Amino acid sequence: MRTYSLSMFPNDDTYRISVKKIDGGLISTYLHENLNIGDSIEAMIPMGVFTVKDKKNDIVLISGGIGVTPLLAMLYEESSTRNNIHFIQAVQNSSLHPFKNDIESIAKIKGIKNTVFYSNPLDSDKEGIDYNFTGYVNKNYLKDNVNLDSDFYLCGPPVFMKAVESTLLELGVDSSKINYELFSK
Ligand SMILES: Cc1cc2nc3c(=O)[nH]c(=O)nc-3n(C[C@H](O)[C@H](O)[C@H](O)COP(=O)(O)OP(=O)(O)OC[C@H]3O[C@@H](n4cnc5c(N)ncnc54)[C@H](O)[C@@H]3O)c2cc1C
């Protein structure tokens, strides 16, 4: 059994998951290489508590890598009624940049702030054009560019989450405002 976040807003027709193929990973490799359109899988009902708590407060959604999936679902849902959202996506480079076009187009249409960090850009990746900043999501950036009174939602690799959470705490964000989902048990 494996757990996957819903990566699409709630709707009556479909559940969408988005799975990163992990080297040596049993189920993610199976889903990529063996499952075909029209196949059925057995699944439990969706469950979890990683949802936007307050529909009015500013929200900052900060993802690392494939941790973007639950935050993308939140972006779809929340951007249908408001635009006080800041979407921050950290990935390695353009070869591992999930949902780039979807997020850019929502941000453009809805007037939402969208910031992208590449930790290891390719030679062809141009800062300021393909992405905003080289490196990791860092203290100076958060201090100067983010409303620290917002509600924060984080999802990504454990190291990334620890780093972002401790930076937010150092900047004085109350721990009750920091929400996260771990992709490991
Ligand atoms: C709440 C939650 C939400 C999630 N949402 C998503 C999502 O939206 N999208 C997504 O892609 N993932 C998501 N995940 C992660 C997902 O559940 C799986 O953990 C992931 O797909 C890897 O599963 P796997 O079967 O491919 O890898 P596994 O076979 O479980 O292996 C995991 C890792 O362990 C290594 N490994 C396996 N066996 C060994 C061994 N014997 N010795 C050493 N190393 C080994 C593998 O190389 C791999 O790196 C989520 C997890 C949680 C808990």
Side-chain angles (χ1 to χ4, degrees), residues 1-7 16-32 47-48 50 66-70 99 155 181-185:
M1 199 192 317
R2 296 292 185 278
T3 309
Y4 293 101
S5 305
L6 295 179
S7 63
R16 183 178 78 173
I17 59 167
S18 306
V19 178
K20 180 178 181 184
K21 187 176 171 188
I22 303 287
D23 273 349
L26 185 67
I27 300 299
S28 63
T29 304
Y30 176 82
L31 292 174
H32 275 265
M47 57 183 91
F50 190 54
I66 194 60
V68 71
T69 50
F99 302 107
C155 190
E181 174 110 293
L182 286 170
F183 272 14
S184 53
K185 287 175 201 128

Side-chain angles (χ1 to χ4, degrees), residues 12-185:
D12 291 337
D13 301 321
T14 54
Y15 295 134
R16 183 178 78 173
I17 59 167
S18 306
V19 178
K20 180 178 181 184
K21 187 176 171 188
I22 303 287
D23 273 349
L26 185 67
I27 300 299
S28 63
T29 304
Y30 176 82
L31 292 174
H32 275 265
E33 296 186 355
N34 297 85
L35 208 69
N36 293 305
I37 291 173
D39 289 350
S40 299
I41 58 163
E42 202 173 328
M44 293 168 72
I45 56 165
M47 57 183 91
V49 293
F50 190 54
T51 51
V52 173
K53 288 180 185 158
D54 186 300
K55 298 279 181 185
K56 291 201 184 86
N57 287 356
D58 288 7
I59 53 172
V60 183
L61 310 176
I62 311 181
S63 68
I66 194 60
V68 71
T69 50
L71 304 184
L72 180 62
M74 290 177 186
L75 178 67
Y76 282 125
E77 173 78 353
E78 296 302 315
S79 65
S80 66
T81 54
R82 62 197 182 117
N83 69 357
N84 54 342
I85 302 168
H86 188 167
F87 200 84
I88 302 176
Q89 192 176 14
V91 296
Q92 286 185 39
N93 53 51
S94 58
S95 71
L96 291 163
H97 188 164
F99 302 107
K100 177 181 187 340
N101 295 339
D102 305 44
I103 294 163
E104 278 175 0
S105 82
I106 297 170
K108 196 168 166 198
I109 295 166
K110 306 284 183 177
I112 283 164
K113 198 167 173 190
N114 176 31
T115 307
V116 176
F117 284 80
Y118 280 4
S119 58
N120 188 18
L122 303 176
D123 290 344
S124 54
D125 292 336
K126 299 282 168 270
E127 186 174 313
I129 298 171
D130 302 307
Y131 66 103
N132 302 104
F133 299 104
T134 302
Y136 296 125
V137 178
N138 57 71
K139 191 171 178 178
N140 280 344
Y141 173 79
L142 292 170
K143 181 162 66 68
D144 296 339
N145 297 281
V146 163
N147 172 9
L148 296 171
D149 284 331
S150 306
D151 291 337
F152 290 83
Y153 294 84
L154 320 179
C155 190
V159 179
F160 164 89
M161 308 259 283
K162 267 209 173 96
V164 177
E165 184 189 19
S166 56
T167 305
L168 290 173
L169 292 171
E170 276 172 41
L171 288 170
V173 176
D174 195 88
S175 60
S176 66
K177 307 274 273 177
I178 306 175
N179 308 275
Y180 54 85
E181 174 110 293
L182 286 170
F183 272 14
S184 53
K185 287 175 201 128

